[in-house]
Amino acid sequence: MKAYLEPEEVERLEQSAEYLRDRLLIRLLFHLGCRVSEALGIKVSDIDFKQGLVTIQHLKQRIKLSCPKCSARLGKGHKFCPVCGHKVEKAVADEKEHRKFRNIPLETNTLGMLREYIKRGGASFKKGNQHLFNLTRHRAWQIVKECAERARLPGLINPESGKVHNVSPHKLRDAFAVHAVKLDDSGDGIRLLQEHLGHQSITTTMKYRKVSGEEQKEWYEKLWQGGKQNG
């Protein structure tokens, strides 16, 4: 049982799509390595056809808890305020939106598919903006799952829990990351992948070295290199 999709399997997945919209969705999820929410949020105005770039926006909701008496920041487990000592019956919850942007390059074939899709009238207007996809998150998951069934792709195992999952939009993001690590697992390569995926912590990105087998491979090779030197 495999933990991730190979690029050839993603190609089969894309080719199994019955509509250009679905092919484009699968292609963007893999080639951009973006989250499904990010793909569904792409507007036509986010695409720079001249420079071959797309601006990806990641919106995150963060809730901050604070003491109702002195407004000091609290953690979820706080029963007393660490600043004023006040017993916290109910903390004040403050929800804030954090928007992050990153620019990702697009290769020629994907740009051509985007031009064709927009020319055919695939993009639709929502809230005054022309979006590539008029899909819910749930429908996007269904599309990927249905295409995976038509392509006869097997389920994928979670290397940490051992559970088997259907092919999903996030598995395409994983496939991109593992493919990138296999091509370049150097320090610079991992850093660029972190920026590309929009990870806040490098630790999150490093997990793909483990999944791809590069971490173990490097460790094993060093063992034998050391043996040669000692011999």
Side-chain angles (χ1 to χ4, degrees):
M1 185 69 67
K2 296 174 59 178
Y4 58 88
L5 292 171
E6 301 285 355
E8 299 78 21
E9 291 173 312
V10 179
E11 178 66 23
R12 280 169 51 196
L13 182 69
E14 184 184 322
Q15 293 303 322
S16 71
E18 296 177 334
Y19 307 104
L20 178 58
R21 178 201 65 186
D22 300 348
R23 278 188 61 207
L24 183 62
L25 174 66
I26 291 167
R27 191 174 188 85
L28 290 178
L29 287 168
F30 176 58
H31 281 252
L32 299 181
C34 61
R35 303 170 178 91
V36 63
S37 57
E38 294 173 340
L40 298 180
I42 296 174
K43 303 184 290 293
V44 173
S45 59
D46 292 330
I47 305 165
D48 186 333
F49 285 97
K50 192 173 182 180
Q51 294 191 56
L53 293 170
V54 60
T55 300
I56 297 290
Q57 176 180 291
H58 180 47
L59 177 63
K60 215 167 188 177
Q61 304 280 352
R62 286 185 183 173
I63 297 176
K64 290 184 178 180
L65 301 176
S66 58
C67 172
K69 188 173 182 180
C70 72
S71 300
R73 190 167 178 180
L74 301 175
K76 288 182 180 179
H78 277 131
K79 295 190 188 242
F80 293 89
C81 175
V83 177
C84 69
H86 177 73
K87 185 176 181 180
V88 180
E89 300 289 344
K90 189 176 181 182
V92 177
D94 181 24
E95 188 175 15
K96 288 186 177 180
E97 287 186 349
H98 290 261
R99 295 175 187 267
K100 290 185 177 180
F101 299 88
R102 62 190 191 277
N103 292 317
I104 295 180
L106 290 162
E107 32 71 46
T108 306
N109 290 339
T110 304
L111 283 168
M113 192 183 291
L114 280 164
R115 283 194 181 95
E116 183 183 355
Y117 177 74
I118 295 167
K119 186 179 178 180
R120 287 190 191 182
S124 58
F125 280 93
K126 288 191 298 182
K127 298 179 180 178
N129 291 303
Q130 195 177 13
H131 287 252
L132 284 183
F133 304 108
N134 186 19
L135 296 169
T136 62
R137 187 186 179 96
H138 177 67
R139 181 57 190 142
W141 276 67
Q142 281 183 322
I143 288 168
V144 174
K145 182 175 178 288
E146 290 164 5
C147 288
E149 289 171 354
R150 279 197 294 273
R152 297 185 177 181
L153 295 178
L156 299 170
I157 191 167
N158 184 313
E160 295 177 355
S161 66
K163 290 183 179 179
V164 179
H165 299 276
N166 292 322
V167 176
S168 66
H170 198 81
K171 295 301 179 185
L172 296 175
R173 177 171 162 88
D174 290 344
F176 168 85
V178 172
H179 177 58
V181 167
K182 282 188 168 185
L183 288 176
D184 184 2
D185 72 327
S186 66
D188 284 341
I190 296 295
R191 179 184 56 78
L192 288 169
L193 178 60
Q194 178 192 3
E195 293 175 5
H196 189 100
L197 295 175
H199 285 158
Q200 189 171 356
S201 170
I202 192 72
T203 306
T204 309
T205 315
M206 288 295 287
K207 74 176 183 179
Y208 290 110
R209 289 189 83 240
K210 186 176 181 180
V211 173
S212 69
E214 292 301 316
E215 189 176 73
Q216 186 175 10
K217 181 181 172 185
E218 187 178 280
W219 169 79
Y220 189 74
E221 285 176 350
K222 281 182 179 178
L223 282 179
W224 289 108
Q225 284 171 5
K228 286 178 183 178
Q229 288 169 3
N230 292 334

